[in-house]
Amino acid sequence: MALDEFTATALRLSVPVAYAALGGVVAERAGVYHVALEGAMLAGCFGAALGAFHGGAMMGLMVGMLAGVLVGALLAAMTVTLRLPQIVCGISVNLLVIGLTAYLSRIVFSGQANTLHLPGLVDPWLPALAGVPVLGPAFFAQPPLMTALPLLAAGIWWWLHRTHAGLALRAVGEAPRCADANGIDVQRTRWTAVVVASVCAALGGCFIVLSQVFLFSEHMTAGKGFIALAAVILGRWSVWGALLAAVFFGGFDALQLKLQFSQPDLPYQLFVALPYVAALLALFGLMGRSSPPHAVGQPYQRSTR
């Protein structure tokens, strides 16, 4: 595998994790552990497949994003409005989405979801630049959702660090009582953050269906949402750090594919586990040296006094 081909593969495989990791940064900067990134990504996969099956690729993208909104609203209602334990709620939403998408896919696709070839978003935005060495095949010759990723990352960074709304969001994640005392609606801010985070994760699921595999299968995200959580921690809750961490994990994913082809006599499960082992080692390496936003995971109730 040539360097430019390996780079293109690594970047392409990092895109779903990167989208979900960006969402994780937004939610956790607002003080909410978004453990349901896996469920939001899987909901995006199903929504994209459903929309593409009935109305084409753009319809698939819109329905996939809508599925992310629904997952985000459910998680926000549980964690922000009802103030239930955030990690337990995230796991519950993941299990709900896994079961619900499996059930609905058998009804909607009549048991043929694994054999469908859905329309997708594959034509690059800038094909004229595809011939640039290394960067051309890796970036400019890629599907639109991959090209849009750094633009979305730049937009989220600008929103968090250059707008009053972003400052309010970060204040809510660090000191919600002080933010409330200064007139910031903590619940509304956290609701917005969780829904935006879920839509970002759903876009990662849309990329899988519309730009990679062009079908839907049960639990097809295969833990990528949890890898995204590791990318958020490895990136130290920063937009660009999470993006680089996702590319890091994408590189290991590309490496395990290369090893599978070069070592066909060895069990492929050994290589499939490589990105997850890399995530664990990276988190162990950060132990004690990385601190999340101060109020993350802490429910907030406005004082009535």
Side-chain angles (χ1 to χ4, degrees):
M1 184 182 293
L3 177 60
D4 56 349
E5 184 181 352
F6 179 83
T7 304
T9 301
L11 290 177
R12 187 167 57 250
L13 292 175
S14 71
V15 170
V17 174
Y19 271 113
L22 290 178
V25 169
V26 172
E28 296 195 16
R29 279 298 190 102
V32 180
Y33 278 128
H34 201 318
V35 183
L37 289 176
E38 176 80 3
M41 189 184 297
L42 184 58
C45 288
F46 177 76
L50 179 64
F53 181 69
H54 290 288
M58 288 305 299
M59 178 64 73
L61 181 62
M62 289 187 288
V63 176
M65 294 174 66
L66 177 60
V69 171
L70 295 177
V71 171
L74 175 61
L75 182 65
M78 296 169 69
T79 59
V80 180
T81 304
L82 299 178
R83 298 184 297 279
L84 300 176
Q86 295 178 3
I87 294 178
V88 175
C89 291
I91 294 173
S92 301
V93 171
N94 286 334
L95 295 175
L96 173 65
V97 174
I98 289 173
L100 190 61
T101 54
Y103 172 71
L104 292 178
S105 68
R106 297 179 185 181
I107 296 177
V108 174
F109 304 118
S110 302
Q112 299 179 349
N114 292 335
T115 59
L116 294 173
H117 185 80
L118 299 169
L121 297 171
V122 294
D123 295 330
W125 279 351
L126 300 171
L129 299 178
V132 177
V134 181
L135 289 179
F139 184 72
F140 296 114
Q142 299 299 334
L145 281 174
M146 181 171 174
T147 309
L149 176 61
L151 301 178
L152 177 64
I156 290 176
W157 179 88
W158 180 83
W159 176 46
L160 288 176
H161 297 279
R162 294 293 185 269
T163 68
H164 291 294
L167 177 62
L169 185 146
R170 289 184 289 124
V172 165
E174 294 291 344
R177 195 163 298 280
C178 293
D180 191 6
N182 283 276
I184 298 172
D185 191 326
V186 175
Q187 282 203 339
R188 182 187 301 171
T189 302
R190 287 188 169 180
W191 256 86
T192 301
V194 172
V195 172
V196 169
S198 300
V199 172
C200 288
L203 283 171
C206 292
F207 180 83
I208 294 174
V209 170
L210 300 176
S211 302
Q212 284 188 332
V213 299
F214 311 105
L215 54 81
F216 178 82
S217 61
E218 297 177 13
H219 200 190
M220 64 188 300
T221 50
K224 288 182 173 62
F226 298 107
I227 293 289
L229 287 174
V232 172
I233 299 172
L234 183 60
R236 302 196 175 195
W237 292 270
S238 73
V239 170
W240 301 114
L243 203 62
L244 289 175
V247 173
F248 169 77
F249 293 129
F252 276 95
D253 209 0
L255 179 61
Q256 66 91 5
L257 289 176
K258 181 178 180 181
L259 291 175
Q260 283 189 51
F261 286 108
S262 62
Q263 303 292 333
D265 296 331
L266 294 177
Y268 73 92
Q269 291 88 350
L270 293 175
F271 305 124
V272 171
L274 190 58
Y276 304 95
V277 174
L280 289 175
L281 293 177
L283 293 178
F284 281 134
L286 281 178
M287 189 174 295
R289 294 186 294 167
S290 182
S291 57
H294 183 71
V296 68
Q298 300 176 12
Y300 178 74
Q301 183 176 10
R302 188 174 186 178
S303 176
T304 56
R305 294 183 180 180

